Amino acid sequence: MIDYDALLKISYGVYAVCSGNSKKGNGFISNSIMQITSDPVQVAVTCNKKNYSAEIIADSGMLAISVLPQNVSSDVISIFGYKSGREIDKLKRFNVRYGINDVPVLLSDAIATLECKVKETIDAGTHLIFLCEVLEANLLDSESDPITYDYYRKVKKGVSPANAPTYINPLKKQKTMEPTKYRCPICGYEYDDSEHDIPFEALDDDWGCPVCGATKDMFEKI
Amino acid sequence: MIDYDALLKISYGVYAVCSGNSKKGNGFISNSIMQITSDPVQVAVTCNKKNYSAEIIADSGMLAISVLPQNVSSDVISIFGYKSGREIDKLKRFNVRYGINDVPVLLSDAIATLECKVKETIDAGTHLIFLCEVLEANLLDSESDPITYDYYRKVKKGVSPANAPTYINPLKKQKTMEPTKYRCPICGYEYDDSEHDIPFEALDDDWGCPVCGATKDMFEKI
């Protein structure tokens, strides 16, 4: 038996992972990053195979991790976490520098950045694990605390979209629940119960639209 | 250039990872665990090749993760984190149940436990990554917060031993420093500067021996 609430006791940070180069690049929000070895410094980064970034990382063999702070802007979360790079150019909206092998490195909000070369790609089913060597690591803000995934969920009222490794299908958790969709009247963002690990009705009252910030009570059932 | 302080901005939890069976088992402290996929539920667990647990996990193909709370006892940290299973039987000192395929599951202090079957072992140099399917997940304490690695370092004054993925060799960080050893007069525990990511002199004044709790000022330079 799997109690999905047990999985929520695993701790993570929240990161923007950028890839590609100055001609074609993209970025996504990840919570599944960890250091694997210290000599050489290697990290593992997990990415859903369906993500546009999975293609870009495979093509370029490089990625850059930006550690986000507790006070990360909703712009960074909404654009990198809730928009697809197949539809919009995410990087041009933010402060980005191009580092080793022309990899884009998100500087907006970042408190630390790591430029990484992919050494091995492990197929884990729905997701890929990129085992990377860290070639460059910079601390940009020693004072700010990194945002943890727990803080993101509890304080920022964030949830995991269906592509995240930590996504919990609410239909698995509560088989009796009927999934429905809700639409933001301001920006058109749709919250589909079947694609989030918390059903809309169970979200806290002070939850807001991840794209435009509209309040929960403004959403319309569709 | 690698600024090792940038790596400390990556967030982790702290876990006891047990393996083997009721005849021969062991456990170690890990901070490098993350969920990789949600369907099926898979996690990645990192272990130094030199750890006794690496052999036991390879033999048994099973491991169990216990999520530790902020108020984890110093016994769990000192025995699982600072003793080798080649020398002592760690499991007999604690409350352990035997789960799927007879895998030992640490219950002492645990707020959640995951019983995992190793599906793939990835060689990452000094460390192995075990990609595991979670067969059983139990929440034992929904109220307690899991201890984060940041909390372990800042509040509990914990440091990474040389076998940890997040270990930082102080000689790399500060090339001018001369490594020395310090011995606890109570239990004989030796703090070797070259095996910790913080040199002894730089430890906070309220740091204590990880084995017996003796205060820093009691340690003798050897």
Side-chain angles (χ1 to χ4, degrees):
Chain A
M1 192 273 292
I2 298 207
D3 181 339
Y4 288 90
D5 288 331
L7 301 174
L8 291 177
K9 295 291 185 184
I10 302 177
S11 300
Y12 305 89
V14 179
Y15 313 89
V17 178
C18 295
S19 52
N21 53 47
S22 50
K23 286 182 188 139
K24 182 184 171 191
N26 193 39
F28 70 107
I29 298 289
S30 171
N31 64 334
S32 297
I33 287 175
M34 64 182 179
Q35 191 175 340
I36 302 295
T37 63
S38 63
D39 190 18
V41 179
Q42 292 183 111
V43 294
V45 176
T46 308
C47 181
N48 194 295
K49 285 180 183 174
K50 290 180 189 165
N51 278 2
Y52 183 48
S53 286
E55 296 171 29
I56 306 269
I57 295 170
D59 281 352
S60 66
M62 289 288 299
L63 60 84
I65 299 161
S66 297
V67 181
L68 301 175
Q70 278 191 351
N71 64 350
V72 58
S73 68
S74 58
D75 273 7
V76 167
I77 296 291
S78 67
I79 299 291
F80 283 99
Y82 287 88
K83 298 285 186 187
S84 170
R86 291 189 182 92
E87 285 150 26
I88 63 163
D89 181 345
K90 300 182 186 183
L91 300 179
K92 75 173 183 192
R93 295 158 186 250
F94 297 96
N95 182 14
V96 171
R97 80 170 165 81
Y98 290 85
I100 296 171
N101 293 343
D102 204 26
V103 68
V105 183
L106 178 72
L107 297 179
S108 303
D109 286 0
I111 60 174
T113 61
L114 313 178
E115 293 164 55
C116 310
K117 187 176 178 60
V118 178
K119 307 297 280 187
E120 199 176 333
T121 302
I122 298 118
D123 188 333
T126 54
H127 289 68
L128 299 171
I129 304 170
F130 295 108
L131 179 61
C132 307
E133 182 172 348
V134 177
L135 304 180
E136 176 84 20
N138 298 109
L139 181 66
L140 309 183
D141 175 355
S142 61
E143 296 303 312
S144 293
D145 282 328
I147 185 169
T148 63
Y149 184 58
D150 189 57
Y151 186 93
Y152 170 71
R153 289 181 65 92
K154 287 186 183 159
V155 182
K156 299 278 224 182
K157 313 297 176 192
V159 292
S160 279
N163 277 3
T166 44
Y167 166 70
I168 297 170
N169 187 332
L171 302 181
K172 283 204 173 179
K173 205 173 157 185
Q174 253 177 279
K175 289 204 171 87
T176 53
M177 209 160 50
E178 202 179 317
T180 41
K181 286 186 189 182
Y182 299 80
R183 183 185 291 127
C184 174
I186 308 296
C187 71
Y189 169 75
E190 289 185 8
Y191 192 103
D192 184 340
D193 273 355
S194 69
E195 290 184 352
H196 292 84
D197 56 356
I198 299 177
F200 185 84
E201 290 297 345
L203 291 168
D204 284 353
D205 289 341
D206 56 352
W207 177 88
C209 173
V211 177
C212 74
T215 55
K216 183 185 172 191
D217 58 4
M218 296 172 74
F219 272 64
E220 293 153 359
K221 198 168 178 174
I222 51 176
Chain B
M1 193 274 291
I2 298 203
D3 181 340
Y4 288 89
D5 288 332
L7 301 173
L8 291 176
K9 296 290 185 184
I10 303 177
S11 299
Y12 306 88
V14 179
Y15 313 90
V17 178
C18 295
S19 53
N21 52 46
S22 50
K23 284 181 191 140
K24 182 182 168 190
N26 193 38
F28 71 106
I29 297 290
S30 172
N31 63 334
S32 297
I33 287 175
M34 64 182 179
Q35 192 175 340
I36 302 294
T37 64
S38 63
D39 189 18
V41 178
Q42 292 183 114
V43 294
V45 177
T46 307
C47 181
N48 194 296
K49 286 180 181 174
K50 290 180 192 165
N51 278 2
Y52 182 49
S53 286
E55 296 170 30
I56 306 269
I57 295 169
D59 281 351
S60 67
M62 289 289 297
L63 59 86
I65 299 161
S66 297
V67 181
L68 301 176
Q70 278 191 352
N71 64 350
V72 59
S73 69
S74 58
D75 272 6
V76 167
I77 295 291
S78 66
I79 300 291
F80 283 99
Y82 287 88
K83 297 285 185 188
S84 171
R86 292 190 182 92
E87 285 150 27
I88 63 162
D89 182 345
K90 301 182 186 183
L91 299 178
K92 74 173 184 193
R93 295 157 187 251
F94 298 96
N95 182 14
V96 171
R97 80 170 166 80
Y98 288 85
I100 296 171
N101 293 342
D102 203 26
V103 69
V105 183
L106 178 72
L107 297 179
S108 304
D109 287 359
I111 60 174
T113 60
L114 313 177
E115 293 163 56
C116 310
K117 187 177 177 60
V118 178
K119 309 296 279 186
E120 200 177 331
T121 303
I122 299 116
D123 188 332
T126 54
H127 289 68
L128 299 171
I129 304 170
F130 295 108
L131 178 62
C132 307
E133 183 172 349
V134 178
L135 304 179
E136 176 84 20
N138 298 107
L139 182 66
L140 309 183
D141 175 356
S142 61
E143 296 303 312
S144 293
D145 283 328
I147 185 169
T148 62
Y149 183 58
D150 189 56
Y151 187 93
Y152 170 70
R153 288 181 67 91
K154 287 186 182 159
V155 183
K156 297 278 223 181
K157 314 296 175 191
V159 292
S160 279
N163 277 4
T166 44
Y167 166 70
I168 298 170
N169 186 331
L171 303 181
K172 284 202 175 182
K173 205 173 158 186
Q174 254 176 278
K175 291 203 172 89
T176 53
M177 209 161 46
E178 203 179 317
T180 41
K181 286 186 186 181
Y182 299 79
R183 184 184 291 128
C184 173
I186 308 297
C187 71
Y189 169 75
E190 288 185 10
Y191 192 103
D192 183 339
D193 273 356
S194 69
E195 290 184 352
H196 292 84
D197 56 357
I198 299 178
F200 185 84
E201 290 296 345
L203 291 167
D204 283 355
D205 288 342
D206 55 353
W207 177 88
C209 173
V211 177
C212 74
T215 55
K216 183 185 171 190
D217 57 5
M218 296 172 72
F219 272 63
E220 294 152 359
K221 196 168 177 174
I222 52 176

